[in-house]
Amino acid sequence: MITRLLRVHPQSPEAEIIAQAAAEIQRGGLVAFPTETVYGLGANALDAAAVARIFAAKGRPAEDPLIIHLAAADDLPRVVRAAPPIAHELARAFWPGALTLILPRGAAVPLSVTAGLETTAVRVPAHPVALALLQAAGTPIAAPSANRFGRASPTTAQHVLHDLDGRIDLLLDGGPTTIGVESTVLDVTCTPPLILRPGGVSREALEALIGAVALRGETDLSPVSDRRPTGKTAQISPGLLDKHYAPRAELILCASPTTARTLEQMGQLAQKFLDEGKKVGLLIADQDRLFFAEGLPAQLPALIFPLGAADDLAQVARNLFAGMRWLDEQGAEVILARSFGRQGLGLAIDDRLRRAASREIE
Ligand code: TXA
Ligand code: MG
């Protein structure tokens, strides 16, 4: 298969380009497109055959359910059985945006989309290209991140091509995505609502609107199965596969209580691996460069990818996956990453780093 690449204006997408992509969706094809979080790999969500092609193209296991994208919250009844009031409240506040809601599956949604679950994941993306495509296609679009299974999510069209060239029909290149980490996945079928995957909308922002929100994996909570109305334990969710975002290189997360200690740790580890003759990559904050340039006995001949200012988590999130991919391409054998805390977007950054990491050092 030849993958067609069409450049599209990220703010005011050209109608004739969108029309071609919409036609591809309508005929059951696969179209990768930018959203505000990461690039998605879209197919008609109500067409089981088209959805099957998504799993094949990505090499994604069938047990991993997809997110359905809608043009507007008004389309919810097309894919959802009954949305509780809290879902409407959240939709009003955060859609279009980086919040995915888990809701009861509507009858029109093929079970392959939801991996057999009676719930479905839904969001309205905040990207002019994604919204224009959804409107023109006139159908809900199922779209996981447009990467090969197990690789970092794509934040540029080049990342998508790298993973999926020749495996999808069309790629809309709308430039780099702005948020850079995936949406927050929030289960609103249980009380309190449960964050299954931290993402572009922070826990703090959710709690400001709806009060306490639980976080999957947090220790002070009763088991998830106890709080699901169905009592089901079959909770398929994002973190299920621990090494989901793994780069090829071994990634070690350095998360000491203080930044100074973290950097010291990173420096020592980098030196150790360099002494062993390994190619070392560093995922650090802009200001850490000084430390690695001057704070060590010898300047480290490591590959350095500065993610952004340590207090500008939006910038760090935007660059995170590109950094992992770049270090992979440069042939890094070990990647040392530093933690950015767990406040705001830090929680999502931390989650992606942990899942990419084979080891964590405190
Ligand atoms: O930002 C995003 O969310 C991007 C863009 C393209 O929208 N999409 C994305 O999709 O990250 P994906 O497939 O890579 O991740 C969706 C996650 C999966 O890990 C899946 O486990 C979870 O959402 N999910 C989907 N349906 C679910 C359900 N019914 N119950 C629990 N988790 C679900
Ligand atoms: Mg994904």
Side-chain angles (χ1 to χ4, degrees):
M1 176 194 302
I2 292 186
T3 299
R4 274 196 300 154
L5 173 66
L6 295 177
R7 202 155 291 183
V8 61
H9 195 286
Q11 262 78 52
S12 359
E14 300 80 353
E16 67 278 12
I17 305 247
I18 293 298
Q20 291 185 51
E24 198 62 72
I25 293 284
Q26 285 162 348
R27 76 169 77 102
L30 297 184
V31 177
F33 60 95
T35 81
E36 79 279 33
T37 57
V38 301
Y39 273 73
L41 174 56
N44 182 351
L46 307 181
D47 175 349
V51 168
R53 296 186 60 217
I54 292 181
F55 286 91
K58 280 188 60 114
R60 179 172 172 123
E63 321 56 271
D64 205 352
L66 307 178
I67 296 175
I68 298 180
H69 297 69
L70 300 175
D74 291 347
D75 291 336
L76 266 177
R78 297 183 71 177
V79 295
V80 157
R81 189 151 36 80
I86 198 169
H88 293 289
E89 200 182 339
L90 287 161
R92 264 195 306 277
F94 294 105
W95 284 355
L99 178 66
T100 294
L101 298 176
I102 305 296
L103 290 163
R105 179 181 66 90
V109 175
L111 279 167
S112 54
V113 171
T114 69
L117 295 174
E118 283 309 326
T119 54
T120 192
V122 192
R123 86 177 183 104
V124 177
H127 193 294
V129 172
L131 288 172
L133 175 62
L134 283 158
Q135 267 145 20
T139 181
I141 293 180
S145 50
N147 50 285
R148 286 295 282 267
F149 180 71
R151 308 264 354 250
S153 289
T155 55
T156 67
Q158 289 67 40
H159 295 164
V160 179
L161 267 190
H162 181 273
D163 280 16
L164 297 173
D165 194 12
R167 304 178 70 89
I168 62 176
D169 299 292
L170 182 64
L171 164 58
L172 290 177
D173 180 354
T177 64
T178 49
I179 294 182
V181 291
E182 305 88 337
S183 62
T184 302
V185 178
L186 183 71
D187 191 342
V188 289
T189 67
C190 51
T191 312
L194 174 67
I195 296 176
L196 296 175
R197 176 181 73 181
V201 169
S202 72
R203 181 185 195 172
E204 292 88 339
L206 294 173
E207 291 189 329
L209 183 73
I210 57 169
V213 164
L215 174 63
R216 197 175 68 97
E218 228 170 36
T219 46
D220 57 336
L221 294 169
S222 55
V224 168
S225 53
D226 294 350
R227 292 179 297 107
R228 305 234 344 148
T230 55
K232 271 192 198 158
T233 45
Q235 176 173 265
I236 312 297
S237 59
L240 197 63
L241 297 144
D242 261 337
K243 280 206 65 157
H244 196 81
Y245 296 88
R248 267 189 293 271
E250 179 188 12
L251 189 145
I252 300 174
L253 177 59
C254 299
S256 296
T258 66
T259 305
R261 180 79 195 115
T262 299
L263 295 181
E264 218 174 287
Q265 290 261 23
M266 284 180 90
Q268 284 162 4
L269 275 174
Q271 195 64 66
K272 171 178 144 344
F273 288 118
L274 288 166
D275 289 346
E276 289 171 11
K278 294 222 168 88
K279 210 163 176 183
V280 176
L282 302 178
L283 284 176
I284 55 175
D286 291 349
Q287 53 263 58
D288 303 340
R289 291 184 88 152
L290 264 172
F291 175 86
F292 288 104
E294 296 166 6
L296 292 164
Q299 202 171 325
L300 289 177
L303 298 157
I304 294 185
F305 193 97
L307 292 165
D311 60 355
D312 185 353
L313 295 178
Q315 201 186 9
V316 172
R318 200 178 301 134
N319 291 323
L320 183 64
F321 290 140
M324 287 185 195
R325 282 177 177 262
W326 184 79
L327 290 175
D328 255 350
E329 271 160 37
Q330 299 302 308
E333 294 161 284
V334 184
I335 298 175
L336 304 175
R338 68 161 258 181
S339 153
F340 288 85
R342 289 166 69 83
Q343 301 288 310
L345 263 180
L347 189 64
I349 294 166
D350 187 81
D351 173 81
R352 304 311 187 266
L353 283 172
R354 269 166 212 268
R355 282 200 244 167
S358 55
R359 272 196 275 163
E360 193 177 324
I361 291 178
E362 288 191 358

